[in-house]
Amino acid sequence: PASMEVVPRNCYERFFTVCVIICALVSFSSFVSSITDAMTQLRRTNEQKLQQRSMVRQYILQNRISFRLGGMIYAFLRKNKDAQQKNLRLRDVQAFAGMPDSLKTQLHAEV
């Protein structure tokens, strides 16, 4: 613990102190907000994955698919989930929708 007392002594120092505190508050709030947004997005993604798995399970149960075939379907889905995430197609990226045809042609040539 420091025994030295550091406080603003005049109007300019007080103004500077208030500005620093406000900037720190805004920065910290922005940081917390970005973490909260990332967690919410992660939660939504996990929720969608769980919903898809549940729908597959429900389909298999409702249609009385054999245990062997159901296991093969689950194994296939587990193996292909990584492949589906890696292979993005041009039409999957919405930002490319408004791109001129000349750029799309060049992009197709390189891909």
Side-chain angles (χ1 to χ4, degrees):
S3 61
M4 189 173 171
E5 193 172 319
V6 180
V7 294
R9 299 217 181 258
N10 57 37
C11 184
Y12 298 114
E13 289 178 357
R14 286 187 184 97
F15 179 74
F16 179 76
T17 303
V18 169
C19 288
V20 168
I21 289 173
I22 289 173
C23 288
L25 181 66
V26 169
S27 298
F28 183 71
S29 298
S30 175
F31 175 70
V32 169
S33 173
S34 66
I35 290 176
T36 303
D37 184 48
M39 291 299 293
T40 303
Q41 189 174 3
L42 183 63
R43 188 175 293 129
R44 270 193 226 130
T45 303
N46 286 338
E47 192 174 294
Q48 288 173 351
K49 287 179 185 178
L50 279 172
Q51 185 178 18
Q52 287 297 317
R53 287 181 193 163
S54 175
M55 288 173 66
V56 168
R57 190 177 311 117
Q58 183 179 2
Y59 180 85
I60 289 173
L61 290 174
Q62 282 181 354
N63 292 294
R64 295 188 176 113
I65 305 295
S66 69
F67 183 74
R68 182 175 173 268
L69 179 59
M72 290 169 48
I73 291 171
Y74 283 129
F76 172 79
L77 292 175
R78 272 194 305 270
K79 284 184 180 180
N80 282 354
K81 79 174 177 184
D82 294 333
Q84 288 174 356
Q85 291 174 354
K86 292 179 186 174
N87 297 330
L88 271 177
R89 286 169 273 164
L90 182 66
R91 66 176 174 257
D92 295 335
V93 182
Q94 293 178 357
F96 292 153
M99 195 164 57
D101 290 335
S102 60
L103 281 177
K104 286 182 186 178
T105 305
Q106 291 177 8
L107 183 61
H108 281 293
E110 288 195 19
V111 174

